[in-house]
Amino acid sequence: MASRLGRGTLGRFVMVRLAATVVLLLALSFVVFALLYLAPGDPARNLLGPRNPSPELLAAIRAEYHLDDPFVTQYVRWIGDVVRGDLGTSIRSEIAVTSLLADRVVLTAELAIMAFVITLVVAVPLGVRAAWRAGSVFDRTVSLASIVGVGAPSYAVGLLLLYLLGVRFQLFPVYGIGDGGLDQLWHLVLPAVTLAIGIGALVFKLTRTAVLGELEQDYVAFARARGLSEGAVRRLVLRNALIPVVTSGGLVFAFLFGGTILVEVTFALPGIGGLLAGSVTFKDIPVVQAITLLTATVIALTALAVDIVTYTIDPRVRARGLR
Amino acid sequence: MTARRQLTPVVAAIPLVIVAVFAAASNWLAPDARVQDILTGVTPPGTAGHLFGTDTNGRDIAQLAIAGARTAVVGPVVIALGSMCIGLVLGTVAGYLGGAVDLALSKYADLLLALPTTLIALVVAGLVDGGYWVTVAVLVVLFSPTDIRMVRGAVISQSTRPYVESAKALGLGRVRIMFRHIVPNVLPVAFTTMLLNVAFALVAVSALSFLGLGVGPGEPDWGRQLSDARDLLGRNWAAAVVPGVLIIVTAAAINLLGDWAQERFERRGSGR
Amino acid sequence: MNPVLEVSGLWVIGPNGPIVSHADLAVEPGRTLAIVGESGSGKSMTAKALTGLLPSGVHAEGTVAVDGTSLDLAGGARALAAVRGRRVSLLLQNPFTSLSPVHRCGPQIAATLAVARDEVDDEVRRRLAEVDLPERVASMYPFELSGGMRQRVALAASLASDPLVLIGDEPTTALDVTTQREVLDLVARLQRERGMAFVLITHDLGVARERADEVLVMYAGRLVERGPTAELLGTPRHPYTAGLRDSDPPLVERLERLPSIPGSVPRAWEHPAGCVFAPRCERADERCRVDEPTLGGTDADGIRAWACWHPLDDRAAGVVVVTRTSPTDEGAPTRPLVTVGGARRRFRHDAPPALDDVSIVVGAGEAVGVVGESGSGKTTLARCLLGLERLDEGTIEWAADRPRATRAQIVFQDPSSALNPAMTIGAALGEALRAGGQDPSAVPRLLELVGLPVPYAKRRPRALSGGEQQRVAIARAVAPRPDVLVCDEPVSSLDVSVQAQILNLLNELRRELGLALLLITHDLAVARQVVDRVYVMHRGRVVESGAMDRLVAAPQHEYTQRLFASVAGR
């Protein structure tokens, strides 16, 4: 089918988009590397942390990190290491950054996925229903709630939930991550719900706008006028509304990762976000660089996935191909 | 239906006016916000002289919250205004002139939008290490790409309209066409975006102080107050609830107003 | 024969009051009923009420009987569910939006087919063949088809459930004239084959004249006149019907001045007491302003009826007093003002060129037309002349070396977006005067020149009707005293009764100011009333040119002949 539409196949589409993603990530990695020089003062001193350095130690650090080389040379060496999986050593804990991340990435992923699932299961159906009954009491109530939710910061919501459900009514554990397995998931419920409130409000708004936009289209009136059942009309609308909802999926993902930082700090969870917050205050630059790059990669890959899904579900994009 | 529409801005304005009064008159309303009493330490709500109790350092929660309105409001307003000024100038130029300027600005926006704002703000403000106003400046830069994009899009959709073409046919200068003809028609949507940005900026600024950045330690600030309250949940619930509710209500009120304004402009636009 | 569709006592009521007031209509199997009206007449709302598609906040009252089954219109979509699609179906105006963009055409047609699953493909093929489309269209997406093909797919889809009545809401308005004719011919053939009734909702009296057995004229939500087509248009009784008929420009002759109806169409919520047409009617007296006339039947079967206290008699209705202009001569202008030579312009390398070796001349004080359908390149030509678009190749030579503002100015199609919404009328006109080196205090004179009250200078465009906005746009264009006034479809988005006013204004301005006029239009009849000489464009090329009189009498090129043949109602 795609071949008759001409100009591109899925394979070629993926290759070109992948190349664009790599270019974006390279550009970002350059900026990330430059972070080392963003902090005021001598990078060598910053790399040593708050210890009082002797001149010999400083010289050793300069040699170890090749700080006297030209900037570009340093960057090339650094990105080479990154590609090989060597992200340097944490200043604070003096552990390899990769193993530091490995310990925490699972928790963050669990938190993010849990929040994402809660969002999908709750916000999307609510958005569809609100659009279908635009102007009803249901629509106005949920829309109002979403306006409050979209602006409510997770750290404030988190603390309120923690106080109400953790301290006051003691329904959920207050801090910590439990003993692994199901218990860990149980400890993650409150953080995930906190995270899902902001994201869910956003997804609700996006879904409602998308479905409402489709409902106003002529093809819906035409379908009804020729006697399609309400169920068939609904399928028609949802299939069309899927496209803008998926397209904004990338945005939602970026939002999600920004949110995990605050939620992990609020609930004192040992994830990537909490590590980043701590590392920034400590000026643990290798860790900050690694986490920034990791987040950028995840978001870029999500955007790539969104592009591919859009390509497969929107025949117009398929026909336009790669421009 | 119409009565409700008229009610929305009024209801949303009430908390905003209160918060604005807090911010403007905090020295007078909360003179003792910075007064510590380490001997007393934490007290629960209802303690004599302290409606909402005190925090670890014995500071009055209510007074802290009133005084904290200043950093919560001033910075976000500056951020929203500043980034929209950048957005209006650069977005208009990029949208109307196109070409290399447009390409450069789009790439810059792409790069900044590839990461969550919270993360960039945290990393940059944290590493630069410069206090409240540096944080505000960083956020102005971080907020500007979305504003540039928004204005650019609006300018592009205006500049193909016949009234702009007519102005070109009259031989008017580019600057006159851009700022006398196009920009006035972009202002309503720019204003709405700015309003919504105040809410986002409020959340972002407080988030950074929650993470220990921006506002100096000991300064009254809602984000910092929340951060301090994490360890007090069992001893003084108000320490978390008061600033938490203030942030949520303020942000919601601004969003509500923004949403209302957006709907009004859209309706007016479609009525043409 | 009994009517297959019969509506009685239809009211459509919106938040600001009635949109349609007490309408009755009936149509018999195999026959065509046209509902004719301008914007705000309620004709589209009538169609929506009959198909249960009224927007929220708007509801209908009255009853509809379809094939003997009587239904209460107040029940909306639910009450109509039994007949919707199966007995009454709808065809919409815009073929580009009436099909789902992400579903293939085949399934969209099949959605309401009543056949067994394994016969669907064969049936879809048969249905496509019925509307003269090849089999492969079934597996294509709507965006891969032209407007005319999409409207055929839409037609096949709306006929999939074999309705007894088809309602077409401006079904060909968005199409080119040649395609319009094809689609309407197709509907007529299917009507004959199926014995299907057709309710044609249109603003175009020409289309109604050609296609309908019976016509209903609506104005401001009221049915003002109805009757068999020939009778109604031959001897209209209601002054509005007569005005509408006469302001429709003729193709065969050029009139010194087009008859027109003064004023503009009232907005839906404006309800003057008495007769709705009284404010614009020359015959109106005190009674008309107080008592609202009701539709009164006159002949035995009650088909012919009008709602007027002072109906026109045979003589007044039948004769239009016109002054014809003398024929103009062929040939190039004596004093060329601007010469376009060998113009080429291509927007995308994989698309056909918008301009392909186009050469035209406009002489001083001359009225020249460029006629063509969408995609012919006529608008690109206009934009290049204004300097809004560049040429890839070719030259534009101006005889006089004058500042840009005084060479050419332009009037666009859509008056609502032609004026800056943020500027007052006075400010916009003042700016245009200054741009041409004129005294900005001449704004009042400019407003009078285009027939607008001077206090309008303080208003913003939003407060004006479409026709008034177009007058302002014309005033702004003539303010710098340009040599050439380019008008790009200046009346296409205006109501018919207002079109004639604007065409008259253009002719007057040309005489008074000695302007040259370049009229870009798809409408041959409009061009006929304004221009002396015409260029016919097709796919980026000028296929024929010459004196308008000669072209009307004897078009040479095959495309020109087809274009003339497509003009409806003549």
Side-chain angles (χ1 to χ4, degrees):
Chain A
M1 196 71 250
S3 64
R4 194 177 54 68
L5 288 170
R7 282 188 239 168
T9 57
L10 182 60
R12 226 189 108 207
F13 180 83
V14 172
M15 290 314 291
V16 173
R17 278 282 182 276
L18 193 62
T21 305
V22 169
V23 170
L24 174 73
L25 283 177
L26 275 177
L28 266 173
S29 73
F30 194 77
V31 179
V32 166
F33 177 72
L35 286 177
L36 179 61
Y37 289 87
L38 184 65
D42 180 6
R45 222 174 253 274
N46 288 337
L47 284 170
L48 275 169
R51 281 165 292 182
N52 199 12
S54 62
E56 295 81 46
L57 194 54
L58 273 178
I61 285 289
R62 299 198 84 83
E64 186 189 334
Y65 285 86
H66 307 275
L67 289 177
D68 295 321
D69 287 359
F71 184 78
V72 176
T73 320
Q74 289 182 47
Y75 168 72
V76 171
R77 184 173 294 117
W78 177 77
I79 194 76
D81 287 347
V82 168
V83 171
R84 278 191 295 276
D86 176 8
L87 290 164
T89 313
S90 161
I91 296 165
R92 185 158 57 156
S93 56
E94 297 181 352
I95 302 172
V97 174
T98 28
S99 62
L100 203 58
L101 291 186
D103 289 346
R104 293 155 189 263
V105 81
V106 177
L107 182 83
T108 301
E110 276 177 2
L111 176 62
I113 290 168
M114 211 159 153
F116 193 65
V117 170
I118 296 176
T119 297
L120 279 189
V121 171
V122 178
V124 173
L126 284 181
V128 172
R129 200 178 148 94
W132 221 273
R133 303 180 173 191
S136 68
V137 175
F138 172 82
D139 174 38
R140 283 206 298 266
T141 313
V142 185
S143 293
L144 184 71
S146 84
I147 290 174
V148 176
V150 110
S154 52
Y155 45 92
V157 174
L159 280 181
L160 293 187
L161 288 180
L162 210 48
Y163 169 66
L164 278 177
L165 304 179
V167 177
R168 196 41 95 53
F169 300 110
Q170 308 203 337
L171 297 172
F172 288 91
V174 178
Y175 288 123
I177 54 163
D179 314 324
L182 277 180
D183 191 43
Q184 177 165 334
L185 285 184
W186 178 239
H187 276 75
L188 284 181
V189 169
L190 220 46
V193 168
T194 305
L195 195 50
I197 286 176
I199 315 280
L202 187 69
V203 170
F204 166 80
K205 232 179 157 173
L206 290 170
T207 311
R208 182 181 178 275
T209 310
V211 174
L212 209 54
E214 295 302 330
L215 280 173
E216 285 164 1
Q217 297 296 316
D218 276 356
Y219 73 81
V220 177
F222 186 48
R224 288 189 167 139
R226 34 197 240 270
L228 261 74
S229 69
E230 208 50 15
V233 172
R234 183 177 294 247
R235 279 194 296 281
L236 208 61
V237 168
L238 292 186
R239 176 66 180 78
N240 276 283
L242 187 64
I243 295 166
V245 170
V246 167
T247 312
S248 45
L251 175 76
V252 171
F253 229 75
F255 221 75
L256 195 68
F257 271 87
T260 51
I261 303 173
L262 292 161
V263 170
E264 285 177 17
V265 172
T266 308
F267 289 88
L269 299 174
I272 297 282
L275 178 65
L276 176 69
S279 305
V280 164
T281 337
F282 199 83
K283 303 256 184 316
D284 194 346
I285 290 171
V287 177
V288 173
Q289 287 175 326
I291 294 178
T292 311
L293 208 54
L294 178 68
T295 312
T297 311
V298 171
I299 290 175
L301 290 179
T302 313
L304 179 68
V306 166
D307 275 355
I308 294 170
V309 173
T310 311
Y311 181 93
T312 53
I313 62 175
D314 191 342
R316 288 162 296 185
V317 174
R318 272 206 304 275
R320 225 179 301 134
L322 301 158
R323 273 171 295 167
Chain B
M1 195 91 174
T2 31
R4 197 193 315 274
R5 287 214 179 98
Q6 297 309 319
L7 206 62
T8 309
V10 179
V11 169
I14 293 171
L16 294 182
V17 170
I18 294 175
V19 170
V21 169
F22 283 178
S26 61
N27 288 342
W28 184 70
L29 288 172
D32 303 331
R34 289 176 179 78
V35 174
Q36 303 195 351
D37 181 1
I38 300 177
L39 285 180
T40 316
V42 191
T43 53
T47 311
H50 302 294
L51 178 62
F52 289 120
T54 52
D55 71 359
T56 329
N57 294 324
R59 290 180 299 177
D60 183 75
I61 295 294
Q63 294 217 20
L64 266 182
I66 291 173
R70 175 165 288 179
T71 49
V73 170
V74 177
V77 169
V78 171
I79 292 166
L81 267 174
S83 83
M84 188 47 78
C85 287
I86 297 177
L88 275 175
V89 173
L90 295 186
T92 305
V93 170
Y96 190 71
L97 299 183
V101 190
D102 189 23
L103 193 71
L105 283 171
S106 304
K107 289 293 159 204
Y108 160 72
D110 279 349
L111 213 58
L112 276 183
L113 293 173
L115 278 168
T117 311
T118 322
L119 187 145
I120 314 182
L122 168 66
V123 169
V124 175
L127 293 184
V128 171
D129 217 8
Y132 186 69
W133 289 106
V134 171
T135 311
V136 168
V138 167
L139 286 172
V140 169
V141 175
L142 289 185
F143 272 57
S144 61
T146 42
D147 287 357
I148 293 173
R149 274 204 176 173
M150 190 281 299
V151 173
R152 175 181 173 272
V155 166
I156 287 175
S157 87
Q158 292 289 328
S159 57
T160 52
R161 293 196 182 197
Y163 78 84
V164 177
E165 310 251 82
S166 299
K168 286 187 199 168
L170 285 173
L172 304 179
R174 281 172 173 182
V175 175
R176 186 176 170 87
I177 294 179
M178 277 193 272
F179 292 98
R180 176 94 171 83
H181 283 267
I182 297 178
V183 168
N185 289 299
V186 173
L187 281 182
V189 52
F191 174 75
T192 319
T193 311
M194 200 174 74
L195 208 57
L196 295 171
N197 273 347
V198 174
F200 281 124
L202 165 73
V203 172
V205 168
S206 302
L208 289 179
S209 48
F210 177 78
L211 294 173
L213 301 167
V215 184
E219 283 298 305
D221 177 279
W222 293 347
R224 202 163 265 279
Q225 228 182 326
L226 275 174
S227 162
D228 294 342
R230 268 181 304 171
D231 306 325
L232 305 178
L233 286 182
R235 289 179 287 169
N236 180 0
W237 55 266
V241 172
V242 171
V245 167
L246 274 173
I247 294 185
I248 294 176
V249 168
T250 312
I254 300 171
N255 279 325
L256 209 58
L257 213 55
D259 206 64
W260 173 80
Q262 200 165 24
E263 217 170 89
R264 262 182 72 100
F265 289 137
E266 268 169 19
R267 211 142 22 94
R268 223 173 70 179
S270 66
R272 260 174 222 161
Chain C
M1 209 166 0
N2 283 327
V4 60
L5 177 80
E6 190 166 16
V7 179
S8 21
L10 170 70
W11 287 75
V12 180
I13 296 149
N16 299 311
I19 301 169
V20 175
S21 305
H22 197 92
D24 296 330
L25 59 95
V27 58
E28 289 159 4
R31 313 242 319 155
T32 300
L33 169 72
I35 304 181
V36 176
E38 299 178 284
S39 60
S41 65
K43 59 186 193 304
S44 281
M45 279 298 173
T46 304
K48 290 196 168 82
L50 297 183
T51 42
L53 291 174
L54 289 173
S56 66
V58 180
H59 72 276
E61 284 169 19
T63 54
V64 56
V66 186
D67 196 24
T69 319
S70 186
L71 300 163
D72 184 4
L73 283 168
R78 198 159 303 164
L80 291 167
V83 297
R84 204 154 76 163
R86 279 177 279 274
R87 302 211 190 140
V88 181
S89 201
L90 180 70
L91 192 58
L92 296 173
Q93 172 173 354
N94 190 342
F96 294 92
T97 56
S98 58
L99 294 165
S100 165
V102 299
H103 293 87
R104 295 175 205 276
C105 294
Q108 301 205 50
I109 294 170
T112 50
L113 279 178
V115 293
R117 190 170 288 258
D118 55 340
E119 291 164 23
V120 166
D121 287 347
D122 288 338
E123 188 63 21
V124 166
R125 204 170 302 138
R126 208 180 63 72
R127 298 299 179 121
L128 283 171
E130 195 181 10
V131 294
D132 302 329
L133 286 175
E135 193 181 325
R136 66 188 164 85
V137 170
S139 61
M140 289 171 81
Y141 290 100
F143 68 87
E144 298 175 272
L145 304 173
S146 70
M149 286 170 89
R150 287 190 212 195
Q151 197 62 318
R152 284 164 194 269
V153 173
L155 184 59
S158 53
L159 298 185
S161 48
D162 301 316
L164 303 171
V165 183
L166 178 67
I167 300 176
D169 188 357
E170 302 269 9
T172 58
T173 308
L175 303 174
D176 277 326
V177 275
T178 47
T179 319
Q180 259 182 34
R181 171 159 298 262
E182 289 165 15
V183 170
L184 287 172
D185 283 346
L186 176 62
V187 173
R189 196 195 81 210
L190 294 172
Q191 235 184 314
R192 270 196 312 277
E193 288 169 6
R194 293 162 167 257
M196 180 178 72
F198 184 35
V199 178
L200 172 63
I201 291 173
T202 181
H203 71 284
D204 189 335
L205 217 52
V207 169
R209 185 200 308 268
E210 195 175 76
R211 303 289 170 175
D213 301 303
E214 196 184 314
V215 174
L216 288 180
V217 180
M218 290 185 78
Y219 182 79
R222 312 296 200 281
L223 247 173
V224 295
E225 186 161 7
R226 95 173 161 228
T229 308
E231 215 177 296
L232 182 127
L233 292 174
T235 53
R237 300 299 178 193
H238 199 286
Y240 175 66
T241 312
L244 201 60
R245 179 196 64 178
D246 298 341
S247 26
D248 200 19
L251 179 62
V252 286
E253 57 192 356
R254 180 172 179 180
L255 306 182
E256 185 72 32
R257 187 177 173 78
L258 282 165
S260 68
I261 308 175
S264 51
V265 177
R267 298 175 200 224
W269 57 88
E270 290 168 357
H271 293 287
C275 172
V276 283
F277 187 60
R280 299 176 73 185
C281 183
E282 287 171 355
R283 305 167 73 90
D285 61 9
E286 211 34 55
R287 184 187 186 190
C288 301
R289 280 181 266 275
V290 180
D291 276 349
E292 184 170 358
T294 49
L295 203 65
T298 53
D299 50 6
D301 51 4
I303 289 177
R304 188 90 165 95
W306 53 83
C308 183
W309 297 125
H310 308 293
L312 302 165
D313 56 27
D314 278 357
R315 226 180 31 187
V319 185
V320 185
V321 185
V322 292
T323 333
R324 291 172 182 85
T325 55
S326 53
T328 48
D329 49 12
E330 183 99 5
T334 46
R335 203 155 56 86
L337 205 59
V338 56
T339 312
V340 178
R344 287 179 198 276
R345 180 79 174 110
R346 193 188 275 267
F347 290 105
R348 276 175 31 202
H349 65 89
D350 54 347
L355 294 179
D356 189 3
D357 194 16
V358 172
S359 300
I360 69 163
V361 184
V362 179
E366 195 190 17
V368 179
V370 176
V371 174
E373 295 178 297
S374 61
S376 64
K378 57 187 195 303
T379 292
T380 308
L381 180 64
R383 293 171 53 82
C384 289
L385 211 62
L386 265 293
L388 296 171
E389 197 78 66
R390 60 174 179 79
L391 290 178
D392 292 334
E393 270 176 60
T395 54
I396 298 177
E397 280 168 34
W398 295 86
D401 187 23
R402 303 186 61 196
R404 178 180 182 179
T406 58
R407 276 181 176 167
Q409 286 299 319
I410 185 162
V411 174
F412 291 100
Q413 171 175 0
D414 176 16
S416 67
S417 58
L419 301 170
N420 187 339
M423 267 175 136
T424 62
I425 306 302
L429 294 181
E431 188 183 60
L433 284 166
R434 267 192 301 276
Q438 308 280 324
D439 181 3
S441 66
V443 168
R445 210 158 36 81
L446 210 49
L447 283 169
E448 280 167 0
L449 185 69
V450 296
L452 287 175
V454 173
Y456 271 36
K458 292 197 181 63
R459 297 198 186 181
R460 281 178 206 279
R462 198 195 311 281
L464 272 56
S465 73
E468 289 169 340
Q469 287 171 344
Q470 198 63 314
R471 285 172 189 269
V472 176
I474 291 170
R476 181 184 55 192
V478 299
R481 293 297 184 116
D483 293 332
V484 184
L485 180 64
V486 179
C487 298
D488 188 358
E489 302 277 9
V491 296
S492 306
S493 55
L494 300 177
D495 282 313
V496 181
S497 67
V498 180
Q499 272 188 18
Q501 299 170 12
I502 297 294
L503 292 177
N504 286 335
L505 175 65
L506 287 175
N507 278 329
E508 281 162 25
L509 286 176
R510 193 187 141 217
R511 272 197 300 275
E512 277 175 43
L513 305 175
L515 285 167
L517 205 62
L518 183 67
L519 180 76
I520 313 283
T521 182
H522 72 283
D523 190 333
L524 284 164
V526 163
R528 178 76 175 119
Q529 300 309 315
V530 177
V531 307
D532 310 321
R533 218 152 48 74
V534 68
Y535 294 91
V536 179
M537 285 191 73
H538 184 51
R539 295 185 183 163
R541 295 179 147 271
V542 173
V543 293
E544 186 165 3
S545 65
M548 192 71 197
D549 293 335
R550 203 266 298 156
L551 245 75
V552 172
Q556 300 295 309
H557 192 275
E558 175 271 333
Y559 175 72
T560 317
Q561 289 167 353
R562 197 143 52 88
L563 204 59
F564 275 95
S566 304
V567 176
R570 298 176 179 93

